[in-house]
Amino acid sequence: MLSQIDKQIFRTWRQYAVEPHIAKLTGRVIRATGPRIAVIGNCQAFGIAYAMKVMNPSAVVDHFSAIGHAKASMDLLVKTLDTYDYIFTHDFLAGHLRGGGDSEELRSRLPKTTLTPAISFAAFHPDLIYIEDKSQPLHGFIFGPVGPYHSALALFAYRAGLSVDEARALFNENVFQALGYFDVWNDAARELLETSKARFGVDLSEDLMKWARRGVFMYSILHPKSFVLFDIARRMWEKVGLKPPSTDFSYYEIHDLARAEIFPVYPGIAKVFGAQGGYLFKLQNHHLANSVGDFLNLPQYLTASFKTYEKAGPERLSNARVDAWIADEQTKNLLLGLARENLKAGLTPTL
């Protein structure tokens, strides 16, 4: 089966080498007369590419997804991308392309390539973790009811032998306080700003303040809302000398990443940011034309998570944070005690 990047390579050569000749023969006017722009990367790359198209509708803007395995080699990708005037790429590891090759090799072979930041921000979702599956060489994660997104509290509860009801009792403010979930903002902001400046050469401090004024700007740790990606696209244009026009992006924005899984902002944490929170977990649905999708409340999510962990087996359920909680008797006993106290008090949230 061809990957998205394989299909995009085919489309690129059709657009670049075939369509101009057809247009010349038929007299058809080609509308895309601006620069050719390629955006390569992870799940955020489409949103950046779309924003760039909004900023210049006459440009050819193509998205290459560095997710999954492609049949194309680095040689073919480089030959294809060399037809573009501007290339923007996220960091990506070897393994996506046949025969290897990562983003550093791409940049060395095509110096016109600009490294683009991928936004990561944990303050709204401090409980969200990934469970690595070391039996898988690429994207090796345990997938559960909400894809790769797991709750550290849920995993702890399962490994500590708690019931689903006892696990629900962990989802309360006294537990969040004990674990430092209310104190993540400063570290998350510092990491984002320092990495963006040191690794990518962009200062996002003003952008972060603007995003924060709009409330919760992430669907998960790695999935920002579309206006965040628009600002990243604008910064990338400025970096390569393109002048972003004044555009009301909110009128044209599409929330592409909202089709994927959405991890809730827990009520106690949302309150810190003046937002409304909940325990509604959205399942991925990339086929909105066929179905409106589905959601899980907290008991449903925990029940499904426990089934996932039971099926995977305890030897595959390693996460550094939860491992540390389990290994530290003081932390483990604190969480177990809070679970029992909250359960006795009837503090078992659902939504």
Side-chain angles (χ1 to χ4, degrees):
M1 180 180 294
L2 295 178
S3 70
Q4 187 276 344
I5 204 168
D6 296 316
K7 295 175 182 177
Q8 185 56 58
I9 287 174
F10 175 79
R11 284 192 292 266
T12 294
W13 285 109
R14 184 188 65 203
Q15 294 168 353
Y16 181 72
V18 177
E19 289 187 0
H21 294 290
I22 295 176
K24 186 176 181 179
L25 291 173
T26 62
R28 182 173 61 89
V29 176
I30 296 178
R31 289 178 298 177
T33 57
R36 290 173 54 80
I37 300 171
V39 181
I40 307 100
N42 61 28
C43 49
Q44 300 180 24
F46 175 84
I48 293 174
Y50 177 80
M52 289 183 177
K53 182 66 174 180
V54 172
M55 290 193 296
N56 186 351
S58 69
V60 173
V61 184
D62 290 324
H63 162 236
F64 294 77
S65 176
I67 299 175
H69 302 275
K71 296 184 183 299
S73 64
M74 175 61 79
D75 288 340
L76 179 57
L77 180 63
V78 167
K79 184 177 180 180
T80 302
L81 294 177
D82 200 29
T83 67
Y84 290 85
D85 302 301
Y86 300 94
I87 306 166
F88 301 91
T89 186
H90 288 138
D91 280 315
F92 63 86
L93 301 174
H96 298 288
L97 299 169
R98 180 171 55 83
D102 58 12
S103 53
E104 288 303 312
E105 180 180 346
L106 175 63
R107 293 173 65 206
S108 68
R109 295 179 63 174
L110 286 175
K112 60 183 173 181
T113 302
T114 300
L115 196 60
T116 303
I119 301 301
S120 175
F121 197 79
F124 301 117
H125 307 95
D127 188 47
L128 192 161
I129 60 170
Y130 298 86
I131 303 176
E132 186 177 356
D133 184 356
K134 295 184 178 179
S135 68
Q136 300 296 324
L138 184 66
H139 291 301
F141 298 103
I142 299 290
F143 275 60
V146 190
Y149 301 157
H150 296 268
S151 157
L153 291 173
L155 180 58
F156 169 83
Y158 175 81
R159 291 183 57 188
L162 298 182
S163 67
V164 168
D165 283 341
E166 288 171 326
R168 286 170 62 193
L170 286 171
F171 289 78
N172 284 287
E173 290 187 30
N174 54 2
V175 175
F176 304 156
Q177 182 69 48
L179 294 175
Y181 279 6
F182 296 130
D183 306 317
V184 178
W185 179 277
N186 288 341
D187 287 340
R190 186 182 306 110
E191 180 180 0
L192 173 64
L193 297 180
E194 290 179 356
T195 301
S196 297
K197 182 170 287 188
R199 174 67 175 157
F200 305 101
V202 291
D203 182 359
L204 297 180
S205 53
E206 291 185 8
D207 298 282
L208 179 58
M209 287 190 291
K210 182 172 65 174
W211 303 337
R213 285 195 292 269
R214 297 187 64 167
V216 177
F217 56 82
M218 303 290 291
Y219 293 121
S220 68
I221 289 175
L222 293 177
H223 280 185
K225 293 187 176 180
S226 56
F227 60 82
V228 173
L229 298 177
F230 176 80
D231 287 337
I232 296 300
R234 179 173 50 81
R235 290 293 185 189
M236 290 300 98
W237 270 31
E238 292 171 346
K239 188 172 182 180
V240 299
L242 292 172
K243 186 176 180 181
S246 178
T247 305
D248 181 9
F249 181 69
S250 64
Y251 191 70
Y252 300 98
E253 66 182 329
I254 56 174
H255 300 278
D256 176 64
L257 290 176
R259 299 183 304 161
E261 299 89 351
I262 295 180
F263 206 81
V265 181
Y266 301 163
I269 294 165
K271 186 166 61 176
V272 173
F273 302 111
Q276 180 177 351
Y279 292 110
L280 194 62
F281 297 79
K282 178 190 172 294
L283 281 61
Q284 69 87 14
N285 178 20
H286 293 283
H287 304 285
L288 296 177
N290 301 325
S291 168
V292 297
D294 211 348
F295 298 81
L296 299 174
N297 62 25
L298 183 57
Q300 292 168 336
Y301 170 74
L302 291 172
T303 299
S305 294
F306 276 31
K307 289 181 179 178
T308 295
Y309 304 151
E310 184 70 29
K311 182 178 180 181
E315 69 280 356
R316 296 173 63 194
L317 299 178
S318 177
N319 171 270
R321 186 197 309 179
V322 178
D323 289 347
W325 291 350
I326 295 290
D328 183 76
E329 286 297 319
Q330 184 176 1
T331 301
K332 180 179 178 180
N333 291 333
L334 173 63
L335 292 177
L336 292 176
L338 288 172
R340 297 186 185 107
E341 292 173 12
N342 290 342
L343 180 62
K344 186 176 181 180
L347 301 176
T348 52
T350 298
L351 293 174

